[in-house]
Amino acid sequence: MKHYLTGSLSAVALAVTGVLNAPMAQAADYTSFGIEKDLPGTCNYAAIDAKDYSGRTLDVITHAIPVIGEPTALHAEQFAALTGAEVNVVHVPFGDLFQRIMIPFQSGQDAYDVLFYASLWIGDFNRFLAPVPEAYTASSGMSDVTDSFKGVATWNGEMVQYPMDGDRHYLKYRTDVFENEELKAKYLAETGKELEIPQTWEDYNAVAAYFSGFDWDGDGEDNYGSAEVSKRDDLMFSAFISRAAPYAKHPDVTGGFFFDLETMEPLINTPGFVRGLELFIDAQQAFPPGGTSFGLGDEIFSFGGGQTLMSYSWDDAFIQAQQEESRIRNKVAAAPLPGAKEVWNRDTGAWDSFEEPNRAPYMTWGWSSAVSEMSDDKEMAFDFLCFFSNEANTFHDLQIGRFGVNPYRDSHFDSSFWQGLGWEADVADSYVNTLSGMEESANRVYDLRVPGVGQFMSSMANGVAEAMAGQKSAQEALDDVAKEWADIVERIGEDRLRDAYANVVRLEDN
């Protein structure tokens, strides 16, 4: 056992784990590292403790604390204590992270061994990444990763990203409202409709609008219908994709969601996307004060803090609502994203009607990790990523909403695990069934993962923001986005983008 630390230490990580404040554990006892117990696995604590990387340095770049940055720092400290390595962690704000990784790549600098970043950047980064060796693709932790997130980590048939997070959008709602007999009767009397979990985005907007502007949970404060990520520079594009997906992703049409794969013609201004944007614009009437400029953090605390009836996006708002101190703990549930009863068929150029709403689960970009091809310490780097995501660490990280680590293994869909954290059975079941159901869908949508993805997403966000602000109609805004996308395709190269986009289409078309 090499229980000593070297190099740059993270005060945040040490505060979380108490590594330096607790006496070092005896053999096979790793509780002082912040875990309840070591778990079997390829890269568990005992296996990494047997490694000796004394005198060697590992350089890691990651997101700012807390999201991903905090667990990176935490597990870096643990890895250093176990192996004797010096682990230097650099935390970078999201707006700077892409360039801080890309510039050294382009200039041939061996700046970092390990990289944590947004998985949709694989289209730009893939040629600079070391393929994950067979010893790690065959590891116990990797064998449990869902097929969809193995796919996210794969480029042209080769795994070049190391899965350590699973992100998706889904519906969150307050069960204490939807199951309240008095509110149900009031809703029926005033709308003529039963109060039900929204099955379409039209339903969602109607329910959200009704439950806006009055104190429906008796806490003395007005409540509102919907918290959504609507700030242009803070992942608004992801909220828009969730809303547009069921109208634009036809289950019988293959060959591209954002582009026609054969022609690389942008589809962003086709009727399905326009319908989604029109409903996004309409939804603003149900937002809380300031809700038209909500970032992800605002959405998390608006729903997770009990201000709003519903929200959708990543796990964070749901996990926030389920924290021990939350006043709405066990008063929430998860469900699939709303769907659409009319879906645009681009093959026929017409709307198709569906008796049961078309669902298009959105597997959002999420976080990923990788090892630089230029690293001189690839084995140590992959050992660190394998340790970061080992069974004990992941189960720990899943419990902390601010860490940004969300379910990505089949074992994470075990309701009993979440019930063991104090979640009531109905809440836990709704959560794991919703997430696991997305893994089984044959009509999923994935983020655009191509070279220049930042240009495409920025253009989309600008266009959506203009429509949300009333500066342009939905059609006008997306027509302009489509023109910008066509220009970007021409600049980057149609063939290069097609080759990259084919990786996304393979995931979507199963």
Side-chain angles (χ1 to χ4, degrees), residues 1 84 92 264 278 317 364 407:
M1 277 190 179
V92 179
M264 288 307 292
E278 289 171 344
T364 59

Side-chain angles (χ1 to χ4, degrees), residues 205-206 208-213 223-226 228 243 278-289 292 468:
N205 282 11
Y210 179 85
F211 282 97
S212 287
N223 297 98
Y224 299 88
S226 181
E228 310 189 28
R243 282 184 165 273
E278 289 171 344
L279 288 165
F280 199 9
I281 295 167
D282 178 64
Q284 295 177 103
Q285 62 182 305
F287 290 0
T292 55
M468 296 284 281

Side-chain angles (χ1 to χ4, degrees), residues 93-155:
F94 186 79
D96 299 328
L97 187 57
F98 178 88
Q99 291 299 336
R100 288 286 297 273
I101 295 174
M102 192 63 173
I103 290 173
F105 278 163
Q106 292 175 323
S107 59
Q109 301 175 56
D110 181 13
Y112 306 105
D113 302 291
V114 174
L115 322 153
F116 290 88
Y117 57 87
S119 66
L120 79 172
W121 295 341
I122 190 174
D124 290 291
F125 290 170
N126 66 88
R127 64 189 187 277
F128 303 108
L129 306 179
V132 180
E134 184 179 356
Y136 300 92
T137 60
S139 68
S140 60
M142 195 72 76
S143 65
D144 195 30
V145 174
T146 69
D147 288 342
S148 62
F149 289 105
K150 286 178 182 174
V152 168
T154 300
W155 191 260

Side-chain angles (χ1 to χ4, degrees), residues 46-305:
I48 296 302
D49 199 6
K51 303 274 184 173
D52 186 356
Y53 290 127
S54 303
R56 296 166 68 177
T57 300
L58 194 68
D59 292 311
V60 181
I61 186 169
T62 189
H63 187 237
I65 289 171
V67 177
I68 298 302
E70 192 169 341
T72 304
L74 165 61
H75 301 316
E77 298 297 347
Q78 296 164 337
F79 188 83
L82 291 166
T83 67
E86 177 179 348
V87 185
N88 300 315
V89 179
V90 175
H91 295 92
V92 179
F94 186 79
D96 299 328
L97 187 57
F98 178 88
Q99 291 299 336
R100 288 286 297 273
I101 295 174
M102 192 63 173
I103 290 173
F105 278 163
Q106 292 175 323
S107 59
Q109 301 175 56
D110 181 13
Y112 306 105
D113 302 291
V114 174
L115 322 153
F116 290 88
Y117 57 87
S119 66
L120 79 172
W121 295 341
I122 190 174
D124 290 291
F125 290 170
N126 66 88
R127 64 189 187 277
F128 303 108
L129 306 179
V132 180
E134 184 179 356
Y136 300 92
T137 60
S139 68
S140 60
M142 195 72 76
S143 65
D144 195 30
V145 174
T146 69
D147 288 342
S148 62
F149 289 105
K150 286 178 182 174
V152 168
T154 300
W155 191 260
N156 290 334
E158 187 171 49
M159 182 176 286
V160 295
Q161 293 185 150
Y162 208 101
M164 36 65 65
D165 177 38
D167 279 2
R168 51 187 75 71
H169 278 194
Y170 59 92
L171 176 65
K172 298 101 175 162
Y173 64 94
R174 290 278 295 271
T175 54
D176 57 334
V177 172
F178 280 92
E179 297 172 3
N180 183 299
E181 294 301 327
E182 182 178 343
L183 289 173
K184 288 166 67 175
K186 186 172 183 286
Y187 186 84
L188 177 61
E190 296 184 11
T191 69
K193 297 180 179 180
E194 298 285 348
L195 177 60
E196 297 176 333
I197 309 307
Q199 298 300 300
T200 67
W201 283 109
E202 288 89 349
D203 295 338
Y204 182 101
N205 282 11
V207 172
Y210 179 85
F211 282 97
S212 287
F214 67 99
D215 180 14
W216 39 253
D217 65 358
D219 68 347
E221 300 287 341
D222 281 349
N223 297 98
Y224 299 88
S226 181
E228 310 189 28
V229 180
S230 53
K231 186 178 180 180
R232 181 184 60 186
D233 299 324
D234 196 342
L235 302 172
M236 171 201 269
F237 67 83
S238 290
F240 167 59
I241 293 169
S242 277
R243 282 184 165 273
Y247 301 96
K249 181 69 166 65
H250 197 293
D252 299 326
V253 177
T254 58
F257 173 68
F258 292 110
F259 294 91
D260 181 312
L261 182 61
E262 289 187 7
T263 65
M264 288 307 292
E265 176 185 358
L267 303 174
I268 192 67
N269 62 333
T270 52
F273 283 97
V274 174
R275 178 74 59 84
L277 181 50
E278 289 171 344
L279 288 165
F280 199 9
I281 295 167
D282 178 64
Q284 295 177 103
Q285 62 182 305
F287 290 0
T292 55
S293 59
F294 267 17
L296 178 58
D298 302 306
E299 183 246 358
I300 291 169
F301 289 106
S302 180
F303 177 80

